[in-house]
Amino acid sequence: MANPLYDTLFGQHLQSDAVFLQLPGGSTLTYANFLNMAAQYAGLLSQMDLKKGDRVAVQIEKSPEALAVYAACAQAGLIFLPLNTAYTADEITYFVENSGAAIVLGDEKMREGLEPIATACQARLETLNADGTGSFAQQAASFPTTFDTVSCDEDDLAAFLYTSGTTGRSKGAMLSQGNLLSNAKALQAEWRFTADDVLLHALPIFHTHGLFVATNITLLCGGQMIFLPKFDVDQMIDALPRATTMMGVPTFYTRLLASPRFTKTLAAHMRLFISGSAPLLAETHIQFEERTGHRILERYGMTETNMNTSNPYDAERRAGTVGFPLAGVELKITDSQTGATLPDGEIGEIEVRGPNVFKGYWQMPEKTAEELRADGFFITGDLGQIDPDGYVSIVGRNKDLIISGGYNIYPKEVELLLDDQDGVLESAVIGVPHPDFGESVVGVLVAQDGHTLDLDAIKTSIATSLARFKQPQKLVVLPELPRNTMGKVQKKSLRELFSKTFS
Ligand code: MLC
Ligand code: AMP
């Protein structure tokens, strides 16, 4: 039976003894062994009565097992819903409830926090740990290493990735098999990935970059990944001699450049370095070339669309730009007010259309209609410009968003929590330059009349509801927020006022 995603990414390797993952400590996992594990997981999920289209929420540490759950979902026609391991119980509750997940797979050490969530949401809870133990792995061990792949077509949904919104409520972006496959194929061709490639993988696997961009391309071409649990500069440098390619957020590159161990000799054999998820400073691009002789290839994408543009593999990789639309992707710059297409050179909203563009937000038709036009163009919320040679640059954002170390933080979500704290009249959350994370979060508070704010108590209080990376690194108090004549908070002036906070 046909299942385009499973057959193309996974099924083609069923009998392959080639290495898929190089793991810390020197062990390896072959494609065949990985897929046997995935088939056991698929068997168990089906036996648990999960049916095509059901959601599988997963909050587990980066591990081969976590990837095998992704493969199992594809094979069983289930929807994979990966969650950041930094999310708090409050955040997870929302995702499980909103998605109607049938099962939550979590690390054993999170069981206590996940149990009440699963009970309240009538979802089953099983554990799967990064060392391959846990109730799920234990039960799966007795299942056959083959599974009858569930028939699907390209329009069937393969994954939900939650992305926050300007209203503070996260939205489940529905990605189909066709969305993922078309993008993996376009990227593999553009970046010339082959079975000879060994990708140095230190990204998390609960977001587009580490999961779909890095992993799907490797699976498609039958290459290998050096699968590190997280970014650690010395481990990266130790592994680099075994790699041919690397993908990372800009913080990876600035941290590598800060290490004297990262030398031209060390990087000489590498075929390709790719950056994305946040703006790569032209300065970093230049320093990297000076140090290594390699020009980083920068590309641009997002949760809802996978990748949209890329600098060219063979032609000039232009610093400060994100290159050209990928094969099959249309991109235009439009007037934010009227939606009219603007001539090249003018700054406007970036809109994209193509097989990569998602199917909408789960059970949020109004939100979907606001961002996804009837003609298929998706309004990205990024502001861009196309130069005379066709290179696209991102020059700003038309959405209130902070990107810190490649993670997105929507100020509204943080402001809603801050506004609820004792003695707080109102708040504004802004992103300011940060030498390591690119941008970092500052929370500006105004106290209610007669109140003195206890900033430590506020920090402690919000920590139970917000993942660590979303929490303001600095809280400051102002007598009032700057506003324009319409009463709108002037975040630009606040960003200027606090621009040197972390420098
Ligand atoms: C960790 N912390 C962060 C943070 N990462 N704070 C803000 N922003 C981040 N990105 C917190 C930790 O909890 C810790 O808090 C403190 O900061 C210092 O931690 P660290 O040890 O220095 O951080 P580290 O673990 O090294 O992580 C930094 C990082 C990581 C940059 C390596 O954040 C990372 O892997 N980012 C990649 C994100 C990513 O994959 N984005 C792709 C999204 S997809 P404390 O209090 O405990 O000290 C997408 C689409 C596309 O955007 O185009 O790709
Ligand atoms: P996410 O919602 O996590 O998928 O983040 C997507 C957002 O990251 C995009 O809308 C952009 O604002 C930003 N982004 C991704 N790649 C780049 C890049 N190369 N340069 C600048 N911004 C980027």
Side-chain angles (χ1 to χ4, degrees):
M1 267 189 275
N3 177 322
L5 187 71
Y6 182 80
D7 297 344
T8 314
L9 296 188
F10 304 100
Q12 56 153 327
H13 306 298
L14 274 173
Q15 312 298 333
S16 168
D17 285 328
V19 170
F20 171 39
L21 299 179
Q22 295 186 30
L23 299 164
S27 62
T28 56
L29 183 66
T30 63
Y31 272 96
N33 287 339
F34 170 74
L35 293 168
N36 288 346
M37 172 162 62
Q40 289 183 310
Y41 289 2
L44 175 57
L45 287 165
S46 301
Q47 197 245 4
M48 286 171 168
D49 250 4
L50 270 78
K51 291 175 296 298
K52 188 171 164 180
D54 281 347
R55 276 76 64 204
V56 178
V58 179
Q59 192 192 30
I60 49 186
E61 297 296 336
K62 184 174 176 182
S63 57
E65 284 73 14
L67 277 189
V69 179
Y70 167 47
C73 287
Q75 192 168 19
L78 302 169
I79 297 176
F80 185 59
L81 196 176
L83 295 165
N84 194 324
T85 44
Y87 287 150
T88 62
D90 284 3
E91 289 163 315
I92 299 292
T93 306
Y94 174 80
F95 299 126
V96 175
E97 204 168 45
N98 182 269
S99 66
I103 184 169
V104 180
L105 282 177
D107 194 285
E108 186 62 45
K109 62 177 185 288
M110 300 171 188
R111 180 187 274 280
E112 210 177 307
L114 292 175
E115 222 145 33
I117 300 173
T119 309
C121 301
Q122 294 176 328
R124 186 181 182 121
L125 174 66
E126 299 288 345
T127 59
L128 183 59
N129 307 319
D131 64 359
T133 60
S135 63
F136 188 77
Q138 209 173 5
Q139 296 170 72
S142 58
F143 275 76
T145 53
T146 56
F147 177 80
D148 281 340
T149 302
V150 170
S151 175
C152 290
D153 63 42
E154 295 217 342
D155 281 334
D156 280 322
L157 296 178
F160 282 7
L161 291 194
Y162 274 81
T163 160
S164 285
T166 41
T167 55
R169 267 186 87 203
S170 287
K171 303 165 286 184
M174 301 187 285
L175 294 154
S176 69
Q177 290 211 345
N179 292 150
L180 303 183
L181 265 184
S182 65
N183 213 237
K185 287 177 183 168
L187 294 173
Q188 189 221 339
E190 178 64 40
W191 298 339
R192 315 286 193 270
F193 269 79
T194 72
D196 293 332
D197 273 308
V198 181
L199 176 71
L200 183 50
H201 191 301
L203 289 157
I205 53 166
F206 38 70
H207 283 312
T208 302
H209 197 163
L211 183 63
F212 300 138
V213 183
T215 306
N216 284 357
I217 295 177
T218 304
L219 287 163
L220 187 62
C221 69
Q224 297 183 32
M225 294 197 282
I226 303 175
F227 209 52
L228 301 181
K230 61 178 290 234
F231 181 91
D232 173 278
V233 77
D234 284 316
Q235 281 177 20
M236 294 293 281
I237 289 172
D238 291 343
L240 211 57
R242 288 182 280 126
T244 61
T245 50
M246 185 193 127
M247 289 182 195
V249 296
T251 302
F252 284 21
Y253 291 101
T254 49
R255 287 188 182 182
L256 280 172
L257 284 169
S259 168
R261 288 184 64 204
F262 185 65
T263 59
K264 188 166 191 150
T265 315
L266 189 82
H269 69 289
M270 289 289 281
R271 182 176 75 76
L272 184 60
F273 289 94
I274 301 169
S275 176
S277 306
L280 181 78
L281 294 178
E283 180 188 311
T284 310
H285 184 104
I286 292 161
Q287 273 177 22
F288 198 87
E289 187 178 9
E290 282 169 3
R291 177 84 67 92
T292 65
H294 289 283
R295 287 177 84 93
I296 299 173
L297 184 154
E298 185 173 7
R299 62 34 170 206
Y300 156 62
M302 57 197 307
T303 303
E304 289 91 335
T305 62
N306 290 293
M307 299 304 102
N308 296 313
T309 71
S310 170
N311 266 281
Y313 186 80
D314 286 325
E316 186 197 355
R317 297 174 197 165
R318 201 169 280 183
T321 80
V322 292
F324 307 107
L326 288 165
V329 177
E330 292 170 77
L331 181 147
K332 60 182 182 178
I333 306 290
T334 60
D335 181 308
S336 300
Q337 303 302 319
T338 65
T341 304
L342 295 173
D344 283 1
E346 286 195 26
I347 294 176
E349 184 102 36
I350 300 178
E351 295 193 26
V352 293
R353 177 165 72 179
N356 55 321
V357 174
F358 77 141
K359 300 293 172 195
Y361 297 113
W362 171 247
Q363 292 184 334
M364 291 188 183
E366 310 79 26
K367 286 273 152 216
T368 304
E370 276 170 28
E371 294 174 38
L372 192 55
R373 296 188 190 279
D375 65 4
F377 270 97
F378 178 67
I379 307 168
T380 61
D382 291 310
L383 297 175
Q385 169 177 43
I386 304 177
D387 78 10
D389 298 327
Y391 284 83
V392 177
S393 306
I394 298 174
V395 297
R397 294 177 203 136
N398 204 18
K399 51 189 173 191
D400 195 10
L401 163 70
I402 300 166
I403 306 184
S404 167
Y407 284 141
N408 286 9
I409 298 137
Y410 279 83
K412 191 72 190 171
E413 186 183 356
V414 187
E415 287 161 3
L416 288 173
L417 263 176
L418 289 173
D419 291 349
D420 272 351
Q421 303 303 310
D422 265 357
V424 174
L425 177 67
E426 59 175 351
S427 65
V429 167
I430 51 167
V432 298
H434 187 279
D436 186 29
F437 290 139
E439 276 185 297
S440 192
V441 185
V442 171
V444 185
L445 303 170
V446 177
Q448 289 166 358
D449 269 352
H451 279 81
T452 304
L453 296 178
D454 180 345
L455 298 185
D456 287 336
I458 292 176
K459 278 183 194 156
T460 311
S461 165
I462 61 170
T464 57
S465 306
L466 270 188
R468 179 75 190 95
F469 69 88
K470 298 182 195 168
Q471 296 166 28
Q473 286 210 1
K474 189 160 178 69
L475 284 178
V476 290
V477 183
L478 286 186
E480 60 181 10
L481 297 177
R483 290 181 190 277
N484 66 10
T485 48
M486 310 291 287
K488 193 172 181 295
V489 175
Q490 294 300 281
K491 288 202 168 177
K492 193 164 175 274
S493 348
L494 288 174
R495 281 193 286 267
E496 277 160 16
L497 189 62
F498 294 107
S499 65
K500 301 273 183 284
T501 307
F502 301 109
S503 55

